[in-house]
């Protein structure tokens, strides 16, 4: 599709910021969106992002991301895409085009970790800005121990209820019932017996923060001037800093050394140091979110995802097998080490 003009890409807006769109080039995409580079009549460039479906909790990805970026730009953030125009009918939006490249493993340094921590700190600082309280909770936000556990159970139930119609599905069922469920039960008991966390006590508003939710280097671009630019705000909103910290440490999208993980953990703990209970929540939420990540890895078994894979010509069965192996590894690692995770608690 690279090199296609706007006339051969259906739905591209004819004008952006009062100028005609003369070309649209597919840049890439993932499971949830596709991105095009659009060129205007005067040579200026913008990014067009098209969204597929909704978030796990039923929200419009486009509306969440566009409103989040508008809020951030209104509050002085310039290391995020500039929101230009939203098209609800077409489920797409136009943003400023970012020149840069994905950050490679060889560029993951202590200084880059500090940039991430600094971004989290700025989000915390603007949490009281005008319009901030009008923003929704982040996708699958968790403000209590019960909410954390239910977020895992929802994903487990969705997978458990899929009919068995292939060998990968049969293997999935065996993993869920024979490996995952016993591990989850074990960790649930460990947390409730030892964590000192009330099941239904919600985190106070004063300790919540605005969060990108899917936070990490995989959602950054290394800008042409050498700075990190943060992208992908489809899950943005209010959340518990403990969830943001755990998700960053657990995300399979980037492989970080233990030293870099520790630097992030220490930096984040300092940013949110007014919350004296944060180390306890991080320690006991960490294995639960680890199991949730194992469930996320299995999204390719869900019916809607399978249909999209078929439409794109992907080998769905091999994808499912690979994701199941990843989920098995994640569950095994968490089950083996969950009681040893240390974050100052």
């Amino acid at each position: 599709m690279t090199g296609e003009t706007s006339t051969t890409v259906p739905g591209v807006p004819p004008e952006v910021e009062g100028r005609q769109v003369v070309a649209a080039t597919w840049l890439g995409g993932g499971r949830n969106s596709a991105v095009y580079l659009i060129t205007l009549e005067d040579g200026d460039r913008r990014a067009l992002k098209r969204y597929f479906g909704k978030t796990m909790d039923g929200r419009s990805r486009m509306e969440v991301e566009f409103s989040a970026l508008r809020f951030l730009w209104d509050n002085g953030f310039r290391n995020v895409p500039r929101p230009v125009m939203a098209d609800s009918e077409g489920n797409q939006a136009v943003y400023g085009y970012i020149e840069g490249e994905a950050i490679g493993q060889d560029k993951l340094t202590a200084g880059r970790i500090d940039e991430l921590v600094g971004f989290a700190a700025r989000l915390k600082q603007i949490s009281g800005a005008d319009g901030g309280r009008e923003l929704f909770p982040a996708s699958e936000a968790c403000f209590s121990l019960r909410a954390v556990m239910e977020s895992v159970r929802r994903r487990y139930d969705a997978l458990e209820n899929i009919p068995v119609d292939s060998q990968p599905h049969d293997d999935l069922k065996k993993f869920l019932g024979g490996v995952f469920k016993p591990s989850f039960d074990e960790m649930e008991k460990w947390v409730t017996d030892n964590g000192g966390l009330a099941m239904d006590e919600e985190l106070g508003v004063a300790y919540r923060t605005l969060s990108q939710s899917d936070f990490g280097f995989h959602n950054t671009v290394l800008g042409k001037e050498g700075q990190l630019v943060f992208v992908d705000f489809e899950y943005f909103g209010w959340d518990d800093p403990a969830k943001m910290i755990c998700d960053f440490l657990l995300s399979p999208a980037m492989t970080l050394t233990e030293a870099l993980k520790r630097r992030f953990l220490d930096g984040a703990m300092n940013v949110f140091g007014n919350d004296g209970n944060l180390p306890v929540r991080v320690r006991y939420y960490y294995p639960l979110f680890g199991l949730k990540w194992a469930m996320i890895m299995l999204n390719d078994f869900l019916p809607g995802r399978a249909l999209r894979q078929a439409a794109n010509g992907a080998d769905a069965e091999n994808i499912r097998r690979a994701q199941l192996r990843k989920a098995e590894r994640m569950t095994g690692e968490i089950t083996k080490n969950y009681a040893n995770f240390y974050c100052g608690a």
Side-chain angles (χ1 to χ4, degrees):
M1 188 179 284
T2 300
E4 282 189 292
T5 64
S6 59
T7 56
T8 61
V9 181
V12 173
E15 289 187 350
V16 171
E17 296 181 301
R19 287 166 287 176
Q20 184 180 355
V21 174
V22 297
T25 305
W26 182 70
L27 293 179
R31 293 180 171 94
N32 300 317
S33 63
V35 181
Y36 298 83
L37 169 64
I38 57 177
T39 304
L40 308 183
E41 59 185 320
D42 58 0
D44 271 3
R45 296 181 293 177
R46 300 290 182 267
L48 173 70
K49 186 172 182 180
R50 286 186 173 160
Y51 301 81
F52 307 141
K54 298 181 182 294
T55 62
M56 186 74 176
D57 46 7
R59 300 184 203 175
S60 163
R61 297 177 187 276
M62 186 278 291
E63 292 177 4
V64 172
E65 181 159 44
F66 194 84
S67 62
L69 291 171
R70 186 168 54 194
F71 175 79
L72 294 178
W73 266 77
D74 288 347
N75 284 279
F77 282 66
R78 293 298 179 266
N79 57 342
V80 298
R82 178 173 69 90
V84 176
M85 60 179 284
D87 173 12
S88 297
E89 185 175 340
N91 203 24
Q92 59 187 8
V94 177
Y95 302 98
Y97 176 68
I98 299 168
E99 292 189 47
E101 60 183 0
I103 187 167
Q105 293 285 151
D106 60 324
K107 293 185 173 68
L108 302 184
T109 63
R112 296 301 183 194
I113 289 288
D114 293 345
E115 281 188 73
L116 288 178
V117 172
F119 188 76
R122 288 193 67 197
L123 289 177
K124 179 176 182 285
Q125 289 167 2
I126 66 164
S127 293
D130 289 344
R133 291 298 169 191
E134 297 173 9
L135 296 169
F136 288 99
S139 181
E140 296 190 83
C142 296
F143 297 119
S144 69
L145 175 58
R146 186 178 299 281
V148 174
M149 291 180 176
E150 288 182 350
S151 71
V152 182
R153 286 196 190 96
R154 278 194 301 272
R155 288 184 175 272
Y156 173 87
D157 289 344
L159 292 163
E160 177 66 22
N161 291 328
I162 297 173
V164 176
D165 60 4
S166 68
Q167 186 60 50
H169 281 93
D170 185 55
D171 293 339
L172 171 67
K173 293 288 187 181
K174 292 175 181 176
F175 164 70
L176 291 174
V179 178
F180 183 86
K181 184 62 164 56
S183 293
F184 179 64
D185 290 344
E186 176 183 337
M187 272 170 259
E188 181 179 30
K189 185 177 187 305
W190 177 74
V191 171
T192 53
D193 288 351
N194 300 286
L197 300 168
M199 184 67 73
D200 294 304
E201 183 177 351
E202 287 210 347
L203 181 67
V205 172
Y207 300 116
R208 301 177 189 184
T209 188
L210 290 170
S211 172
Q212 191 179 5
S213 193
D214 192 10
F215 181 62
F217 287 113
H218 59 295
N219 281 328
T220 66
V221 173
L222 189 58
K224 63 179 182 179
E225 296 178 1
Q227 81 287 3
L228 289 180
V229 180
F230 293 80
V231 300
D232 196 349
F233 289 80
E234 298 175 16
Y235 309 104
F236 183 84
W238 291 99
D239 213 341
D240 184 341
K243 179 176 178 292
M244 180 199 72
I245 292 168
C246 291
D247 279 345
F248 175 83
L249 296 174
L250 289 160
S251 174
M254 282 280 181
T255 302
L256 298 174
T257 65
E258 290 303 313
L260 291 179
K261 288 182 179 181
R262 169 56 61 180
R263 189 177 186 93
F264 176 82
L265 181 59
D266 291 344
M269 287 294 179
N270 184 59
V271 167
F272 300 102
N274 65 318
D275 180 356
N277 200 42
L278 179 61
V280 176
R281 295 200 311 281
V282 170
R283 181 183 182 191
Y284 289 98
Y285 285 0
Y286 179 83
L288 297 173
F289 282 121
L291 292 185
K292 180 178 177 180
W293 269 106
M295 295 292 91
I296 291 172
M297 292 171 179
L298 298 173
N299 279 348
D300 289 288
F301 283 86
L302 297 173
R305 187 65 59 78
L307 290 172
R308 196 178 307 154
Q309 289 168 345
N312 293 333
D315 186 339
E317 287 211 1
N318 280 336
I319 291 173
R320 290 168 181 164
R321 288 191 182 96
Q323 292 304 107
L324 181 56
R325 288 193 294 269
K326 291 178 184 179
E328 289 169 341
R329 284 196 296 270
M330 173 68 85
T331 303
E333 290 169 5
I334 291 294
T335 304
K336 181 179 178 180
N337 299 310
Y338 69 91
N340 299 320
F341 179 73
Y342 176 77
C343 61

